[in-house]
Structures are given as C-alpha cells and as structure tokens.
Amino acid sequence: MGAVDFSKVRLEQRTLAGVKIPVAVVPRIKKQSYLEKILIALKGLMKGMRLTFGYLIHPSRIVTQQYPENRATLKFPERYRANLKLIYDENGYHLCGGCKMCEKACPNASIKVLNRKGPVTGKLELDRYIWRMDSCTFCNLCVMACPSDALQMTHQFENAVYDRRLLIYNLNRYAGPPAEAMAKLDEEARKQAMEPRDVYGGPVPLNGEPLPNIPPIVIAGEEKAASETPPSTEGPAA
Amino acid sequence: MAVKVKTLEELLKPPAEAASALSTQEYYVNMGPQHPISHGSLRFVVRLDGETAKEVMPVPGYVHRGIEKMCEHLSYRQMVHLSDRMDYFSALMGNWAVSKTVEHAAGIELNDRIEIIRTIMAELQRVQSHVLWWAVLGMDMGAATAFLYGFREREIIGEIFEETIGARLTMNYIQPGGVMYDIQPGFVAKVKKLISYLRPVIDEYDTLLSGNVILQERLRNVGVLDPKLALSMGCTGPVLRASGVPLDLRKVQPYGAYAKADFNVAVGSKGDSWDRYYVRVQEMRESLRIVEQLLDGIPEGPHMVMKPAVRIKVPEGMFYGQLETSRGILGLTLVSDGKGAGPIRAHFRSPNYNNLWVISALAPGWRVADTIAILSSLDLVIPEIDR
C-alpha cells in the first residue's frame, strides 16, 4: 500500500469552448501520519532499490555502446545524415551538371558551385563544388533539391580537425562534364576534358573572406566601402 | 485574476536591511546562466531572505539567435530547419507548426498517409521529450539513476527516428507538402515492439521515482498554480492542464490524424508540482495509445504531394497556425507580400516563454530547493524562449 495508487486515474468528461473533452484526472498523494510516512518511505525505497539491483544482475538489458572501441562494428541506418559527397559512377565520373539548385536550396550558404567553360565541350561545366562543413546543418535540402541525384549524405561523422579551414571541402575529384556528357565523348577527349581537383585544392578562404573568383557581397549604402577593398585576384590553383 | 506588473524601480530596489541584530538581511543571488538546473543558458535573479526566496526574476536572452529575423531571409522550405533549433526536444512538432502554417497559407491539401505519419512521429517525439524531462527532473531532485534510465529510453526511441529520418535531434523531417522520407518497411513492426517495451518501463518509472516518498514530499503542494492565474499568464500545455484546464489543441482544434484516435487529456486537480509531474507521466501513456491506434491504419499513397524543389507560392496577407507541442501551444504568424519565396515577417508564439514567467508568481515564499522543484516541473527549453 503506497502513498499513491497509480492505477486510480479518474476518467471524466469536461467541456471547454463548446468541445466535449474526455479527461484523465491524475492521482493525488494521500495524507499520512508521521509513522505511516516512515513505513511507506522504507517500502518505496526498497522497491526502487530492487529495480536497480535487478538491472545490476541482468546486464543483458544494458544498451550502452562502447564508442570509440566499437568503431569497427558501428552500424548506421541507410538514411543516416552526415558528411555530404558527390556520387561517382563506375567509371569515376560525377553526375553534377552544375545547375546550382543545391546552392539555392541551402539555408545557410554552405554550398558554392563554381562553373567554368569546358575546354572540350565549350559548355558550362562544374569547376569546383565547395562545401563548407563548418556551417552545414545537415538539413538534407540540397540532396532533395538535386535534379540529377548527384548528391548523397554519407555515414562519415568524425570531423575533428585542428584548423577550421580544413572543414571547407572541394567535393569534386575533377573539373569537367558529368557522366551524361562524358558518354558522348571519345577516349581522348574525355582525358582532355578532365582536370584533377584536390579535396583542399586551391586557396581556402577563412569564414567571411571572399571566395576566389566571386565578387564580394555589396550591401546597399556601403558600395563605397566595398569598392575600397579590392576583390581577391588569386585564381584557383590547378 | 490580474497579474501585478512590477515597475523597473521596484525591481531594482536594494535588498532590505536587517531590522535588528536578530533578523536576517536580504540579499540578491544569481542563479545561472551557467548552471545545470537552468537547463540551458537562463539566468534568475533571486532575492533571498535566509534560504527563502522572496522574489525570482528570470533574465532570458542568453541563447538569442535571431531566428525570427533569419526567417525573413529564407524561403518557406528553408525556415523549417530553424524550427528544429528552437525546442529541440519537440523538433518534429516545430517542423510541423511551420509546415502547417505554410500549407494553410498556400492552400496545400495533404493526403491521409502524410497526416498519419506526421501524427505518429509527433507522438513518439512527445514520449521522447517527456522521458527526458522525467530523467532531468529526477536529476534535479538528486536521483541520478532516473537520469540514466530516462536517457536509455530516449536513445531507443531515437534509433527509430534515425532509421526513418536519418537524424536524432535536429530532424527537419516534416516539410511543407509532406514528409521528407517515406517510412521504412519495418517501421510499423518496430514501433509496435517499442510500445510493448515502453508500457512496462513507464510503470517502472512509477516504482522508481513516483513512488518515492522523498520525491512526493518535495513536489506535493509545492508551487500551486491557480487555473485563473495560469490562463491570465498565457500558460499552455501540461503546466495549464495540471491546474485542471483541459486545453489541448489535439482535442479542441483537432489537426493531423488526432480526430481518428481515442485518447484522454491528462489533467491535474490542484495545480501543484506533483500534478505537473504526473500529468506528463500520464501523457506518455496516452501518446502510446494514440500511436498504437494509428499504426495499423496507415493508408497507401505518396509521402509528398509536391516536388521538393518547387517554389511555394503564398498569397499576400497574414497567416497563423498553431499546434500542441510537448510543452504547449506553438504558434507561427507569417506575413507574406505575395512576391518573395519567403515571409517578410515571421513570429513564433512559444509555449516556454509564457510558462517561464509563472516562476516569478510561484516561487516567492518557497525555499531555494523548492524553486528548483517548481522550475523543473515547468519543463523549460531555453532556446525556444530566446529563439
């Protein structure tokens, strides 16, 4: 006999704003004398302790994971959202046509897609796919917005580095046309169309500094101040 | 009942000097902003006489990120991911509140599948949120075991979310026009297993903490909130329901698939900390009932009624949408000029902001340890207060 009978939830009908609402009135603690209180307290404590000791002698019910010792056996659900990557087909060609839909969908400007005029095809193609992990919120909107399914969220979640600049990645392995356009080219032209790109290739700007080849944002009324600071003239390194 | 508003002059008056050598002198103490009981960065200025709190003044604003201003620069789709970061224990309900308002404004019709998936997910999140609140209340009262047990259940529910959504905390799952992913094939079986696991666990909670006399003595008759005062201060959620007012938007203005489910609204009879405690424990059971009833009736259909990259057109005007999160009524006002991809003004009516100020009415006269019991029973999430 405890101080509260937890099974005693009183069911009632109440009316609020003309709507009939079935309510469950929660149980209250009964009034007890001092001696009763001591007895009930001892009983309640014993019950609680029996529960904790029950878990102590049944370790199979413990769900704690021993990270990082279990890194090799860590299981991820298929949809787990961590670092972004460009998908490559079996020939090693990416699927990104550089349409910038992901850049527009990104809520915090973590994605910058730079295009160039292709030396072989003469059309616009992907030059750099810059993803700023440091400002990414893993909201998945870029993956959803991509019309050619070129993006994917991987299961790589360990991102500790010593310098924040190392969190700005260049996702494409090469600058050049996507797999679709590559299929139309012959072997020699494919080699000419591709230019290798490193993960950290090119100058990596600090947060807030202008990106190479991108004019700085000009806020109305501050045009003069913006024109005084010359934009970065450094081109992307090959 | 009118709430007495204090002037700045009254708030800033120096503590009273001791009347004689035998009586004590009043003094001010800062509780927080960096303190485990504040559940985040929230500061309380407490005027103390001995150990009795004479006045408790909340000072919010330490986690202000300007979410409402940021919404003005984002599109309706992008706004959703910011609502995760307000009340992160009911992230899905935050997503839903934004989506619901945008759908109402843009006139998007949803199918039954989307509504039922949203309802199931939101109710699972409510259980997850209340489990964590229970764990933290135990921790505040000095029961570290409860903290670990609560986190165990939270992780088990989190794994279900992770499988279907891909994230555990900031999910960005409920989108205007549907949900981001369809449910996994094994989702229904897994949730059924979870319900059969959680039912005895919630009874275990009663054995472990609710049945403990120390906890009962610390919560009973502490911080009695009058229903009239609660209504006049704009309290919602379990805080208001514990005072006996059955205001629950799931019943009063049914949205989603709540009209299809049979459940009771848990209410208290006195409005003290115990009622606020047990209303939430009871709500966990009711939420499991809702999920159980809806699981078998998920109809076939698409999980999105519009393509994920299509721009949402909202006509010119002001729109409001609200729903019940685990802490009360979350409302969103949108002002649209009918041209841009996003709102020109957005304002969130957050339940925690109104629930917070109750502390200044409840705490005076209680000891410092009791103010912590009252604070814990209010279940505040600070990032939603500050936004």
Side-chain angles (χ1 to χ4, degrees):
Chain A
M1 186 66 210
V4 191
D5 191 356
F6 292 114
S7 59
K8 263 199 181 156
V9 175
R10 204 169 72 240
L11 299 180
E12 276 179 21
Q13 283 276 349
R14 286 194 196 168
T15 316
L16 184 84
V19 186
K20 269 190 186 163
I21 298 168
V23 297
V25 185
V26 301
R28 295 281 310 166
I29 310 161
K30 288 172 209 140
K31 275 191 184 146
Q32 309 115 20
S33 69
Y34 188 71
L35 273 176
E36 259 182 320
K37 249 183 213 170
I38 293 171
L39 275 174
I40 290 166
L42 282 173
K43 223 173 186 178
L45 285 177
M46 291 296 283
K47 266 188 176 174
M49 288 310 276
R50 196 168 67 198
L51 187 78
T52 30
F53 277 106
Y55 278 109
L56 185 71
I57 56 174
H58 290 101
S60 61
R61 293 180 71 182
I62 293 170
V63 293
T64 316
Q65 288 190 26
Q66 297 297 332
Y67 180 82
E69 283 83 1
N70 68 347
R71 277 183 76 195
T73 55
L74 264 186
K75 281 199 188 84
F76 291 99
E78 191 193 330
R79 292 169 181 174
Y80 185 81
R81 307 210 293 253
N83 282 7
L84 190 69
K85 81 161 198 189
L86 275 180
I87 298 172
Y88 290 90
D89 68 357
E90 63 273 15
N91 302 319
Y93 302 137
H94 61 63
L95 310 173
C96 175
C99 68
K100 301 197 181 190
M101 286 297 273
C102 49
E103 193 183 312
K104 278 175 204 141
C106 184
N108 35 38
S110 303
I111 293 172
K112 190 78 214 174
V113 178
L114 301 180
N115 288 334
R116 67 170 190 179
K117 202 177 172 194
V120 177
T121 54
K123 289 173 188 163
L124 275 186
E125 59 185 29
L126 183 66
D127 184 11
R128 273 167 201 287
Y129 193 99
I130 299 166
W131 175 58
R132 306 185 72 126
M133 193 259 148
D134 54 352
S135 59
C136 181
T137 55
F138 303 96
C139 67
N140 209 32
L141 288 179
C142 50
V143 179
M144 299 231 308
C146 185
S148 41
D149 291 330
L151 286 166
Q152 192 191 350
M153 290 250 172
T154 60
H155 300 169
Q156 167 59 37
F157 68 99
E158 292 158 322
N159 292 308
V161 284
Y162 281 104
D163 192 331
R164 185 170 61 172
R165 283 173 291 184
L166 296 177
L167 293 173
I168 303 169
Y169 298 103
N170 197 32
L171 291 186
N172 56 330
R173 293 183 201 150
Y174 70 89
E180 204 185 340
M182 282 289 195
K184 292 173 195 155
L185 301 175
D186 58 24
E187 198 66 37
E188 197 55 37
R190 279 181 202 175
K191 272 181 194 160
Q192 279 177 8
M194 284 160 72
E195 199 182 321
R197 287 282 180 263
D198 185 36
V199 182
Y200 293 125
V204 185
L206 274 168
N207 237 353
E209 281 179 13
L211 285 162
N213 289 355
I214 299 168
I217 298 167
V218 179
I219 301 161
E222 292 177 17
E223 289 95 346
K224 206 186 163 200
S227 62
E228 276 166 13
T229 48
S232 175
T233 48
E234 250 181 299
Chain B
M1 185 189 279
V3 181
K4 193 177 167 289
V5 180
K6 283 198 169 136
T7 60
L8 196 62
E9 201 178 335
E10 277 176 303
L11 285 171
L12 293 174
K13 74 168 188 263
E17 287 292 322
S20 71
L22 283 173
S23 53
T24 50
Q25 188 203 348
E26 284 182 358
Y27 57 100
Y28 282 105
V29 166
N30 270 319
M31 255 168 38
Q34 305 295 335
H35 195 281
I37 60 102
S38 64
H39 300 184
S41 292
L42 179 65
R43 179 172 149 222
F44 292 97
V45 179
V46 189
R47 186 155 62 87
L48 287 174
D49 183 7
E51 214 196 320
T52 312
K54 287 275 169 132
E55 199 171 25
V56 177
M57 288 174 277
V59 187
Y62 287 89
V63 216
H64 179 62
R65 291 150 295 172
I67 283 183
E68 287 172 4
K69 188 72 190 166
M70 282 163 84
C71 286
E72 293 171 18
H73 300 279
L74 297 177
S75 72
Y76 293 110
R77 265 177 217 292
Q78 293 170 337
M79 264 175 71
V80 176
H81 97 294
L82 289 177
S83 64
D84 287 342
R85 285 156 178 81
M86 299 200 310
D87 182 353
Y88 41 76
F89 295 140
S90 31
L92 287 172
M93 277 93 108
N95 293 173
W96 197 356
V98 177
S99 306
K100 193 167 169 264
T101 316
V102 172
E103 280 153 11
H104 158 68
I108 301 168
E109 291 282 326
L110 300 177
N111 60 29
D112 275 4
R113 186 181 177 83
I114 295 169
E115 296 279 25
I116 289 184
I117 292 175
R118 283 179 176 188
T119 314
I120 291 173
M121 288 294 184
E123 286 310 304
L124 285 177
Q125 175 111 74
R126 194 183 306 274
V127 177
Q128 197 194 28
S129 163
H130 284 347
V131 160
L132 189 86
W133 155 82
W134 177 84
V136 173
L137 183 128
M139 190 76 171
D140 287 349
M141 303 286 115
T145 318
F147 188 68
L148 298 175
Y149 282 26
F151 257 94
R152 178 188 60 190
E153 270 71 69
R154 182 177 160 74
E155 288 305 304
I156 289 168
I157 304 173
E159 262 156 38
I160 298 225
F161 285 146
E162 204 176 21
E163 198 143 67
T164 289
I165 300 170
R168 276 163 180 268
L169 193 71
T170 50
M171 305 189 208
N172 191 27
Y173 177 62
I174 296 176
Q175 304 272 319
V179 288
M180 187 178 267
Y181 290 118
D182 207 348
I183 50 171
Q184 290 274 39
F187 177 79
V188 174
K190 270 182 187 152
V191 176
K192 276 186 177 160
K193 210 176 143 199
L194 175 85
I195 292 172
S196 59
Y197 167 79
L198 278 178
R199 283 235 165 90
V201 162
I202 294 170
D203 294 339
E204 249 178 32
Y205 288 179
D206 276 349
T207 316
L208 189 71
L209 200 62
S210 320
N212 188 308
V213 172
I214 302 169
L215 184 97
Q216 291 172 0
E217 289 296 308
R218 287 199 61 183
L219 296 182
R220 181 168 62 168
N221 295 345
V222 171
V224 179
L225 179 60
D226 188 81
K228 279 181 186 165
L229 178 69
L231 281 170
S232 69
M233 292 192 96
C235 294
T236 45
V239 175
L240 177 65
R241 293 199 281 274
S243 298
V245 184
L247 176 63
D248 191 330
L249 285 187
R250 294 176 292 169
K251 280 280 183 202
V252 179
Q253 290 175 357
Y255 56 93
Y258 285 113
K260 287 180 186 147
D262 169 41
F263 66 101
N264 299 317
V265 177
V267 294
S269 42
K270 188 162 182 180
D272 58 355
S273 296
W274 169 263
D275 275 343
R276 286 194 285 276
Y277 171 85
Y278 212 76
V279 158
R280 290 200 181 91
V281 176
Q282 187 63 29
E283 265 188 20
M284 287 192 232
R285 296 197 175 102
E286 301 291 347
S287 290
L288 290 182
R289 265 181 73 195
I290 299 174
V291 175
E292 197 173 38
Q293 288 169 45
L294 293 177
L295 266 182
D296 288 323
I298 304 179
E300 292 297 313
H303 66 281
M304 268 280 194
V305 292
M306 55 197 289
K307 285 198 176 118
V310 175
R311 187 168 143 172
I312 300 167
K313 278 176 197 142
V314 171
E316 193 178 347
M318 191 156 88
F319 305 94
Y320 180 71
Q322 59 181 10
L323 53 74
E324 188 85 23
T325 73
S326 12
R327 281 159 194 81
I329 295 174
L330 176 69
L332 168 63
T333 310
L334 286 177
V335 182
S336 164
D337 59 357
K339 283 176 250 163
I344 54 169
R345 177 81 176 95
H347 174 71
F348 286 98
R349 181 247 181 256
S350 100
N352 283 306
Y353 186 80
N354 290 57
N355 291 354
L356 162 73
W357 297 96
V358 170
I359 187 87
S360 56
L362 295 188
W366 292 100
R367 303 291 170 90
V368 175
D370 292 325
T371 62
I372 289 167
I374 297 167
L375 194 63
S376 197
S377 73
L378 292 177
D379 190 16
L380 302 173
V381 171
I382 315 308
E384 204 193 29
I385 295 171
D386 294 341
R387 302 195 282 284

